């Protein structure tokens, strides 16, 4: 099937674009000897895991289900971090994962022995209290009162026996300069205990595959930890893996006016691209301009009841009409993994485009996907 023939709404992941990102990441692995794993919270289209497995070292999970998915579908290294594990899940998690990262010393005391007895590696998340992003409290694990990671004040070195690595995750869509600043804070606060560790995990939030990212500085940061402390360095980016590698194709259902031109499309910000409202941001729309840039400006909104279900204001060369197809960019990440069926909205199909430009529908959804979760 050609792209133009896909039903709407559909997410489309473009294999060559995905592979382009994977090659960049693999270059970092090859040149430095670090390990990079996929943070499945951002992207978990597991039909593409065989390709990802050719370039990366494994998966990172946020809990039992992602851990199981990584184990079943990637089958390489499988790391997990959760702010707190449940007693009724921890055994299964340990059986599925090789690295189990704890958020507190109390969790480590509770479950650490089980991890070690199973021959798996226990890690501890630290909080270097180094905010490198402004005005982004929602995405800053170092913000005051954050529940993520042990701060120096609460660090208990006497309990570190059996802990093989430290983990931090403090960045969000950031450059290597922010990582370098974070490493300064990590070394200043926790440097004393690094020599006794086997590995350090730099978390995610590294915009490695974005144009202009300073890969050389990233590699210097990795080498710094390798050379000074003999550590194996892990990175677990999500976004960077499928950045700009996917689309969401939609159709205009109606146009109307209320002080401005409005178009209703068959996809919803609230249901199908929740980050547009949560972050918030205006996703790229192929062939369009910013509001007022081209002759015809429209507000694009979804078919739900939510007044704020607005994707954004865009301008076009021609007036929009019913049946026009619009293609949003950068829709592989934090989209499929976060969507929902609020208002009984159908979930978009998931399609994959190969290097010849052929699309195959990997999964289509229907009424049962809505109904089965409700009773
Ligand atoms: C612990 C952890 N690791 C990795 C990631 C992936 O981050 P990103 O998709 O920004 O690279 C996140 C995102 O929230 C995270 O919380």
């Amino acid at each position: 099937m050609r792209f133009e023939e896909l039903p709407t709404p559909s997410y489309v992941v473009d294999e060559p674009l995905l592979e382009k990102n994977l090659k960049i990441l693999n270059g970092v692995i090859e040149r430095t000897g670090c390990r990079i794993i996929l943070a499945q919270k951002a992207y978990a289209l597991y039909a593409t895991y065989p390709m990802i497995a050719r370039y990366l070292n494994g998966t990172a999970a946020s809990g039992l289900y992602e851990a199981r998915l990584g184990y079943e579908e990637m089958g390489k290294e499988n790391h997990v971090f959760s702010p707190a594990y449940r007693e009724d899940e921890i055994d299964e998690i340990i059986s599925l994962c090789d690295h189990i990262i704890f958020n507190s010393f109390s969790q480590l005391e509770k479950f650490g022995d089980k991890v070690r007895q199973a021959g798996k590696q226990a890690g501890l998340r630290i909080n270097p209290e180094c905010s490198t992003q402004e005005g982004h409290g929602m995405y800053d694990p170092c913000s005051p009162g954050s529940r993520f990671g042990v701060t120096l004040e609460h660090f208990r070195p006497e309990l570190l026996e059996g802990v093989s690595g430290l983990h931090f995750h403090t960045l969000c869509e950031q450059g290597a300069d922010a990582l370098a600043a974070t490493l300064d804070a990590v070394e200043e606060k926790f440097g004393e205990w690094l020599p006794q560790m086997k590995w350090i995990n730099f978390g995610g939030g590294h915009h490695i595959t974005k144009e202009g990212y300073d890969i050389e500085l990233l590699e210097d940061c990795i080498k710094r930890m390798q050379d000074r402390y003999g550590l194996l360095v892990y990175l677990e980016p999500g976004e960077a893996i499928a950045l700009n590698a996917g689309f969401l194709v939609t159709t205009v259902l109606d146009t109307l006016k209320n002080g401005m031109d409005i178009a209703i499309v068959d996809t919803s910000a609230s249901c199908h691209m929740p980050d547009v409202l949560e972050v918030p941001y205006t996703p790229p729309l192929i062939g369009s301009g910013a509001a007022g840039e081209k002759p015809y400006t429209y507000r694009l909104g979804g078919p739900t009841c939510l007044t704020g279900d607005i994707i954004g204001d865009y301008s076009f060369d021609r007036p929009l009409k019913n049946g026009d197809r619009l293609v949003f960019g950068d829709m592989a990440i934090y989209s499929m993994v976060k969507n929902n069926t609020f208002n009984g909205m159908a979930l978009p199909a998931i399609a994959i485009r190969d290097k010849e430009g052929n699309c195959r529908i990997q999964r289509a959804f229907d009424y049962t996907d809505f109904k089965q979760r409700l009773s």
Side-chain angles (χ1 to χ4, degrees):
M1 182 184 293
R2 303 303 293 176
F3 191 85
E4 305 70 43
E5 294 161 354
L6 285 167
T8 68
S10 286
Y11 301 109
V12 189
V13 167
D14 185 276
E15 283 180 332
L17 292 175
L18 180 64
E19 192 159 28
K20 188 171 144 214
N21 287 343
L22 293 169
K23 284 185 172 158
I24 293 171
L25 296 166
N26 185 261
V28 177
I29 295 174
E30 292 286 312
R31 285 187 298 274
T32 64
C34 79
R35 295 192 187 164
I36 302 183
I37 54 181
L38 162 70
Q40 297 176 98
K41 70 191 75 192
Y43 177 84
L45 202 181
Y46 56 87
T48 60
Y49 281 12
M51 175 190 277
I52 296 173
R54 287 204 293 278
Y55 295 99
L56 302 187
N57 302 97
T59 38
S62 320
L64 177 59
Y65 290 174
E66 283 185 359
R68 188 167 159 189
L69 189 69
Y71 179 86
E72 288 177 354
E73 300 294 335
M74 182 90 70
K76 297 184 78 174
E77 276 195 44
N78 203 17
H79 298 217
V80 61
F81 163 78
S82 169
Y85 296 99
R86 299 170 57 99
E87 290 207 37
D88 59 354
E89 291 184 352
I90 191 72
D91 289 332
E92 193 177 352
I93 285 178
I94 293 171
S95 75
L96 297 166
C97 297
D98 36 78
H99 291 65
I100 294 93
I101 295 145
F102 295 102
N103 191 47
S104 66
F105 279 102
S106 45
Q107 283 265 299
L108 177 68
E109 280 190 290
K110 194 168 171 189
F111 299 125
D113 280 346
K114 272 179 182 281
V115 172
R116 288 184 288 268
Q117 277 156 19
K120 306 294 178 81
Q121 304 213 26
L124 183 75
R125 180 163 174 173
I126 52 170
N127 181 338
E129 295 174 273
C130 173
S131 289
T132 51
Q133 37 185 320
E134 276 158 33
H136 239 211
M138 170 109 154
Y139 294 97
D140 180 6
C142 292
S143 59
S146 160
R147 68 190 184 289
F148 293 122
V150 184
T151 57
L152 183 59
E153 191 191 344
H154 300 284
F155 203 67
R156 296 176 59 193
E158 72 280 8
L159 297 179
L160 280 182
E161 211 188 278
V163 172
S164 57
L166 297 182
H167 174 290
F168 65 83
H169 167 77
T170 65
L171 308 182
C172 180
E173 299 189 335
Q174 283 172 279
D177 49 343
L179 173 63
T182 303
L183 285 184
D184 290 343
V186 167
E187 284 192 279
E188 191 196 312
K189 296 195 160 91
F190 301 96
E192 194 182 331
W193 299 287
L194 290 176
Q196 71 193 77
M197 297 295 151
K198 286 201 183 94
W199 51 267
I200 185 163
N201 186 324
F202 291 179
H206 317 276
H207 239 177
I208 305 170
T209 48
K210 192 179 173 191
E211 201 142 307
Y213 183 92
D214 189 346
I215 291 189
E216 220 171 290
L217 180 56
L218 167 68
E219 295 183 1
D220 287 346
C221 287
I222 294 168
K223 286 180 198 138
R224 172 173 155 190
M225 289 293 119
Q226 294 170 329
D227 296 345
R228 283 193 194 159
Y229 307 103
L231 292 168
L232 173 59
V233 175
Y234 285 99
L235 282 90
E236 49 178 34
E239 276 216 39
I241 281 143
L243 186 70
N244 291 318
F247 306 93
L248 176 51
V249 197
T250 184
T251 299
V252 175
L253 299 177
D254 196 15
T255 55
L256 44 123
K257 288 179 193 285
N258 180 3
M260 66 182 301
D261 285 303
I262 297 166
I264 316 279
V265 294
D266 66 357
T267 190
S268 153
S270 169
C271 299
H272 304 152
M273 40 181 120
D275 268 7
V276 166
L277 306 184
E278 266 181 41
V279 172
Y281 81 105
T282 304
L285 176 59
I286 292 169
S288 76
E293 199 180 314
K294 294 181 179 241
Y296 302 96
T297 293
Y298 286 81
R299 174 158 296 169
L300 302 185
T304 69
C305 67
L306 178 72
T307 305
D309 190 0
I310 302 297
I311 303 162
D313 294 353
Y314 299 86
S315 63
F316 301 88
D317 292 323
R318 279 175 294 282
L320 292 181
K321 56 182 191 324
N322 295 355
D324 280 353
R325 284 163 74 95
L326 302 177
V327 180
F328 293 98
D330 200 19
M331 278 292 153
I333 48 177
Y334 293 106
S335 54
M336 288 164 259
V337 290
K338 281 185 112 172
N339 61 16
N340 64 77
T341 57
F342 177 52
N343 274 219
M345 284 287 297
L347 295 170
I350 296 174
I352 298 176
R353 181 163 67 176
D354 67 18
K355 59 179 187 301
E356 274 81 43
N358 294 318
C359 298
R360 66 172 191 278
I361 296 189
Q362 184 63 38
R363 178 88 153 89
F365 300 92
D366 60 23
Y367 173 63
T368 35
D369 297 291
F370 163 65
K371 187 179 178 191
Q372 74 187 1
R373 291 195 302 141
L374 296 173
S375 280

